[in-house]
Amino acid sequence: MSLISEKSESLRSSLALNSTILMLGIVLGRIFGYVRDVVVTYYFGKSYITDSYMVALTFPLLLNSFLTGGVIVSSFVPVLSGEKGKNFSILSNTLTLGLFITGAVFSILSIIFAPFITNILAPSMADDAKELTIFLLRIASVGIPFLVGAGGFMATLQCRGDFKSPALSGPIFNGFIVLGIISLTSLISISSAPIGLIMGSIVTWLFLGWGLLRIKHDFKASINFQNPGVKKAMILSIPVLLGLTIYQVNPIIERAIASSLEVGAITVVSVASRIIQLPYALFGLAVSTVLLPTLSRSAANSDFQLLKKDLSWGVLNTSFFLLPSAVGIFMLSYPIVRLLFQWGEFTPSAAFITASVLKVYSLGVWAHGTNSVLIRAYYSLKEPRVPTFLGALTILLQIILYYILSRYFGVLGLAAGSSIGAFVLLFLLILFLRPRLKGLGIRLGFKELIKGFISSGFMVIALLIISPYLIFPKGDITLSFRLLEVMGNILIGVTVYFVSSYLLKSEVLISYLQVIKKGLKIEIK
């Protein structure tokens, strides 16, 4: 019996199609995000200026992740997905306006307390680097209301079934940051980066607001705290706020410890994180984002059998893409860093250190992506306290590991702590979810997961055979050789993985082939 074939074909195709739309948008957004960091490292290299830039943008982006990626996803989206008509509009309007006002308050506070925030984020920074960070943070804080406010628009659009506009928000945001850096760096140096962030935040906010108008959403600038849906969402958000406060400590502690290591360690960690976040966001985050409204509707209807099938599909879908991604990044870490970042002042030695950190991060990418899907199951059941508590325990473990491992392995210890923590959280999430769903129904899904591991094994063998011919010596090589090195290996690895999956009759691959079949109107035999 097939796990995926038991699902209705229309639902399966819808999930696959919406996931594909989000994946494409994330790819574009990450490309522009990569260009953003490459331009900065090209101009300023592995220096205190780049460290200041990385730290200054950390707070606005963490705050956005905290409110929109955490509170909204875990509390408001599950409630919004079950509302219709007037109640949906009231809850949505309260959410969007409330987020903008909250962002404005944080904007003022971050401008006032910029020195305090900088000392928390990078306590061991040199004085000149701290002064620059404070200056850049105050500029970037102006964009916080628009950056956070856009999250409310995005959640509303996704609950209305519109994933195209949210998918384009990432490319627009990062694209305008890149535009600001390229056009203004010669005039105002590194200050161009936070100004670009302001530009990107405002344009993204306007674009998503236009998306709501386009679908004729009944938007009014009003807040109604007496609405039952609003009350329910606010009650659900309380434990999430407490847990996310602890969760956001993780990257803060990671960068704080990095600031106590060698100069440029923050840049190394940030660059490696930037690369490893691409497959996680592209596959884990995209799939879990599309899946949450579907899981929430199943939970609201008490259809737990369908919820388990949807959840299994999400885990298998995420695993199908993340397993080969982890293998590819691990085996091609240095060629990837050399192609993406080894330009200008970013030296070969800096690229080699970054590649080593990237290898260790890649070990936990599959667990991170799977955790993202499993956490959505708790949110759909309106039990955000459980993953919040488990996440807090894991973060405490990671912080301990950061301190211990960084003493012996430097920046590699930080990456190791992150990967270990991801697997610990995966084990805990599964352990506590099983009794809530009376089993996870993973028996058939386990067979599909094994197919993914087998195909990844064939991919490893292929790359080991071809690497002596397609991986060049460390150091500087021309752009054409860098492209050949990375793209050649990726093409061979991906081909072997997909052919192996096809021969093993991977049902996840079959579902995507059916989407392509419908989109291109060709027959796949």
Side-chain angles (χ1 to χ4, degrees):
M1 183 174 60
S2 168
L3 172 68
I4 297 179
S5 62
E6 292 177 357
K7 299 168 62 65
S8 69
E9 183 178 352
S10 60
L11 176 59
R12 183 181 66 219
S13 298
S14 175
L15 291 172
L17 179 60
N18 287 330
S19 296
T20 303
I21 291 171
L22 271 185
M23 287 177 191
L24 293 175
I26 290 171
V27 167
L28 291 175
R30 295 291 169 165
I31 288 174
F32 281 112
Y34 150 70
V35 173
R36 178 190 76 194
D37 288 347
V38 166
V39 171
V40 172
T41 55
Y42 177 84
Y43 283 120
F44 304 103
K46 179 173 171 279
S47 66
Y48 82 92
I49 296 177
T50 312
D51 282 353
S52 295
Y53 151 78
M54 297 288 184
V55 174
L57 265 63
T58 294
F59 181 75
L61 297 179
L62 276 180
L63 181 62
N64 179 57
S65 175
F66 175 79
L67 292 175
T68 63
V71 176
I72 301 308
V73 167
S74 61
S75 305
F76 279 85
V77 170
V79 178
L80 264 176
S81 299
E83 299 288 349
K84 297 180 180 179
K86 185 178 179 180
N87 282 337
F88 182 93
S89 297
I90 292 174
L91 179 56
S92 172
N93 294 336
T94 300
L95 168 65
T96 52
L97 184 57
L99 277 176
F100 190 89
I101 294 173
T102 302
V105 172
F106 273 105
S107 175
I108 296 172
L109 292 175
S110 63
I111 292 173
I112 296 173
F113 296 104
F116 175 74
I117 295 172
T118 300
N119 280 325
I120 292 178
L121 294 176
S124 301
M125 257 188 169
D127 291 339
D128 53 350
K130 281 187 178 180
E131 290 179 7
L132 178 58
T133 303
I134 292 169
F135 176 70
L136 296 178
L137 174 57
R138 282 174 169 159
I139 298 175
S141 297
V142 176
I144 290 177
F146 301 96
L147 179 62
V148 173
F153 292 156
M154 190 180 304
T156 302
L157 287 166
Q158 290 174 349
C159 289
R160 291 286 298 269
D162 182 357
F163 290 90
K164 296 178 182 178
S165 298
L168 291 173
S169 62
I172 291 173
F173 173 67
N174 283 318
F176 271 88
I177 297 180
V178 172
L179 179 62
I181 295 173
I182 293 176
S183 60
L184 299 176
T185 294
S186 61
L187 300 176
I188 56 176
S189 187
I190 194 63
S191 299
S192 59
I195 290 178
L197 183 142
I198 296 173
M199 294 166 50
S201 300
I202 294 175
V203 174
T204 302
W205 183 76
L206 292 173
F207 173 75
L208 292 174
W210 172 78
L212 287 178
L213 294 176
R214 183 171 50 81
I215 63 174
K216 298 180 180 180
H217 174 69
D218 183 20
F219 177 75
K220 295 179 182 178
S222 62
I223 295 179
N224 184 350
F225 292 116
Q226 300 304 314
N227 180 269
V230 174
K231 290 182 177 180
K232 184 186 298 184
M234 293 181 66
I235 291 173
L236 288 173
S237 68
I238 293 174
V240 177
L241 282 170
L242 295 175
L244 287 177
T245 300
I246 299 175
Y247 181 80
Q248 295 301 332
V249 169
N250 185 31
I252 293 174
I253 294 293
E254 189 176 20
R255 282 164 176 77
I257 296 175
S259 71
S260 67
L261 304 175
E262 61 180 303
V263 174
I266 295 177
T267 300
V268 168
V269 171
S270 299
V271 167
S273 298
R274 162 68 61 184
I275 297 173
I276 207 64
Q277 282 294 316
L278 175 59
Y280 163 71
L282 183 58
F283 305 121
L285 192 57
V287 171
S288 60
T289 299
V290 171
L291 201 59
L292 179 57
T294 302
L295 293 177
S296 298
R297 283 189 286 269
S298 297
N301 295 327
S302 299
D303 191 345
F304 296 108
Q305 289 302 317
L306 181 58
L307 190 151
K308 286 193 286 187
K309 293 176 183 177
D310 292 337
L311 179 61
S312 295
W313 182 90
V315 171
L316 292 176
N317 197 305
T318 301
S319 300
F320 179 80
F321 293 105
L322 283 183
L323 286 173
S325 298
V327 169
I329 291 176
F330 183 87
M331 300 191 69
L332 303 174
S333 59
Y334 180 72
I336 290 172
V337 174
R338 174 160 57 181
L339 172 63
L340 298 181
F341 287 96
Q342 192 179 304
W343 304 101
E345 297 301 317
F346 201 80
T347 63
S349 61
F352 180 75
I353 295 172
T354 304
S356 299
V357 174
L358 182 59
K359 276 184 182 291
V360 184
Y361 272 130
S362 70
L363 299 177
V365 68
W366 174 75
H368 278 298
T370 305
N371 289 341
S372 180
V373 176
L374 294 176
I375 287 172
R376 264 55 176 188
Y378 286 98
Y379 292 165
S380 69
L381 295 170
K382 297 182 177 62
E383 293 192 33
R385 290 174 293 181
V386 179
T388 297
F389 174 73
L390 298 179
L393 287 179
T394 305
I395 294 304
L396 291 176
L397 171 64
Q398 285 181 308
I399 292 173
I400 294 173
L401 291 174
Y402 290 157
Y403 275 109
I404 295 175
L405 296 177
S406 64
R407 292 182 58 188
Y408 298 98
F409 305 104
V411 288
L412 291 176
L414 298 178
S418 175
S419 295
I420 294 172
F423 279 98
V424 171
L425 180 58
L426 176 62
F427 171 77
L428 293 175
L429 289 172
I430 294 174
L431 181 66
F432 282 80
L433 187 58
R434 284 180 61 87
R436 285 166 170 78
L437 295 179
K438 297 180 180 179
L440 297 180
I442 63 173
R443 189 171 301 172
L444 293 173
F446 184 73
K447 296 179 181 178
E448 288 296 310
L449 191 60
I450 291 298
K451 294 177 184 178
F453 279 103
I454 294 174
S455 297
S456 297
F458 284 122
M459 179 180 171
V460 170
I461 294 172
L463 291 177
L464 287 174
I465 293 174
I466 202 66
S467 60
Y469 307 98
L470 270 182
I471 293 184
F472 304 106
K474 294 180 175 60
D476 278 320
I477 56 176
T478 62
L479 174 60
S480 58
F481 279 110
R482 297 186 195 199
L483 286 170
L484 175 62
E485 180 180 52
V486 174
M487 300 309 297
N489 280 283
I490 289 178
L491 179 61
I492 293 171
V494 168
T495 300
V496 170
Y497 180 79
F498 276 92
V499 169
S500 300
S501 298
Y502 184 79
L503 294 175
L504 292 170
K505 298 181 179 181
S506 166
E507 297 197 28
V508 177
L509 177 60
I510 291 172
S511 69
Y512 278 94
L513 291 177
Q514 289 174 343
V515 170
I516 296 173
K517 172 185 175 181
K518 291 182 179 180
L520 299 179
K521 296 182 179 180
I522 62 176
E523 184 172 354
I524 300 175
K525 297 182 179 181

